[in-house]
Amino acid sequence: DFFVDFLNINLVSYVRLASLALPLLKESSGHIVVVSAINGKVPVPNLTWHSTVKFGLDGFFSSLRVELMKAQQDVSVTLAVLGMIGTPKMTEKLKNQPGGEETLKLHAATDKTALAIIRGGATRAREIYYPVYTWPVTKLSALLPRLMDYLATGIEMSPKRE
């Protein structure tokens, strides 16, 4: 089944690898850096499977971070929350779509993204948000989830029915 394979590759493999590496990471005061995406913090339409994996990564590794802290283990966990990145595949895809050139202007360069991830891991940051717009969007979503649902869908908000 495609969904099971998708979860195994994009979520379960991360969990298994971290679990297997944990004894060595504890011995060496190591670092775990997990590359996630904004749709692991903010629901996005038409990316349900991708969001499932990214929310799962956040849940597992944030819980692992707290467990390691409670056990007073010197192993850091950094979650990299990424927004739109101008990968070659994405760039090619957008160039062929109407308005794609404008959307590409919002994408971060891959080299700067990689540097932000490396910097976050090296400084043992709890989370890094890149590009910069990802941080306020995730915080707004946490504070005003209903508003963000409407913004994500483009549906006009109506008064809540009780």
Side-chain angles (χ1 to χ4, degrees):
D1 174 61
F2 178 79
F3 185 62
V4 172
D5 291 342
F6 189 82
L7 286 176
N8 281 332
I9 292 166
N10 294 291
L11 175 62
V12 175
S13 63
Y14 280 63
V15 172
R16 286 187 178 156
L17 183 58
S19 300
L20 291 170
L22 211 46
L24 293 173
L25 291 167
K26 288 177 180 178
E27 285 178 27
S28 64
S29 298
H31 316 285
I32 298 173
V33 179
V34 182
V35 177
S36 189
I38 193 168
N39 62 317
K41 298 271 189 186
V42 179
V44 178
N46 304 320
L47 292 174
T48 309
W49 292 17
H50 196 252
S51 293
T52 300
V53 167
K54 299 307 180 181
F55 270 95
L57 289 173
D58 187 1
F60 177 81
F61 284 99
S62 293
S63 295
L64 179 61
R65 179 190 309 107
V66 173
E67 288 176 14
L68 291 166
M69 290 170 62
K70 184 176 180 183
Q72 298 181 337
Q73 295 291 324
D74 189 24
V75 177
S76 67
V77 177
T78 299
L79 183 70
V81 181
L82 304 181
M84 296 183 291
I85 310 302
T87 62
K89 184 177 178 180
M90 185 57 69
T91 301
E92 189 61 36
K93 182 179 179 179
L94 286 172
K95 281 183 179 178
N96 296 322
Q97 292 181 352
E101 292 292 332
E102 287 302 311
T103 304
L104 273 174
K105 293 177 184 175
L106 301 172
H107 285 64
T110 54
D111 58 340
K112 291 181 180 179
T113 303
L115 186 59
I117 295 168
I118 292 166
R119 188 178 301 123
T123 60
R124 294 178 163 241
R126 183 181 185 279
E127 295 180 334
I128 66 122
Y129 294 84
Y130 196 83
V132 70
Y133 69 79
T134 57
W135 186 85
V137 169
T138 60
K139 300 313 169 198
L140 184 61
S141 180
L143 291 171
L144 301 167
R146 187 164 181 252
L147 172 64
M148 289 302 291
D149 288 348
Y150 282 100
L151 291 174
T153 59
I155 298 172
E156 187 176 320
M157 277 184 75
S158 58
K160 187 175 180 182
R161 297 179 192 154
E162 299 299 326

